[in-house]
Amino acid sequence: MKKEIKNKTLEFFVGDISQQPGYEAVVNAANAELRPGGGVAGAIHQKAGPRLDKECRQHAPIEVGEAVITEAYELPNKKVIHTLGPIYRKNKDQKKQLSNCYKNSLELAEKHKISSVLFPAISTGAFNYPIEKATEIALKTTKKKLDELMEIKKIGFVLFSQEDLEVYKEKAKEIF
Ligand code: ADP
């Protein structure tokens, strides 16, 4: 699904984040140590190759909600933005922390003059954040930033299942 809003394109689709040449930067749902691990980080590191792991060591560890940028190496993108999502534990800070992941990633992309950014559903895998709640935070945070973004023309959200995509489509209708 595609949506045009405030001169930006928003895209929502099912796919593997490590195979998306249509985006200048992809966002990694990283762990604090920026190591390969499973899920999104596993796929990104496997495709990018060992030079990504090496560069990541210089930036680690990162804080929850923080974002850092690296080269993309063998990935079909220019850059990888690594951000650490909160583990879902029902505490009150996590909403802000997850929002910060999107906010800081978009600001970093903007600073690096990146024109297109692709997000996975941060924290909704190993970190257990419920997809509906996480989606609302992702889309509301993105909406708030749209006016400030001059360089970024396209923001994508890649989901790993049709079910998750349906949640994004539903929430996007409400929020945008
Ligand atoms: P976190 O630790 O932040 O929860 P995960 O990587 O475990 O991160 O999962 C985040 C989301 O990404 C989950 O919804 C998961 O299904 C999805 N996911 C896992 N692998 C990929 C992939 N290769 N491409 C896109 N999304 C993926």
Side-chain angles (χ1 to χ4, degrees), residues 15-17 29 38-41 43 120-128 158-160 164:
D16 178 347
I17 197 158
V40 168
I122 299 164
S123 283
T124 67
F127 287 175
N128 274 323
V158 60
L159 291 317
F160 217 40
D164 288 353

Side-chain angles (χ1 to χ4, degrees), residues 24-45:
E24 256 183 35
V26 290
V27 177
N28 181 15
N31 44 66
E33 296 301 325
L34 303 178
R35 299 314 304 274
V40 168
I44 283 180
H45 276 273

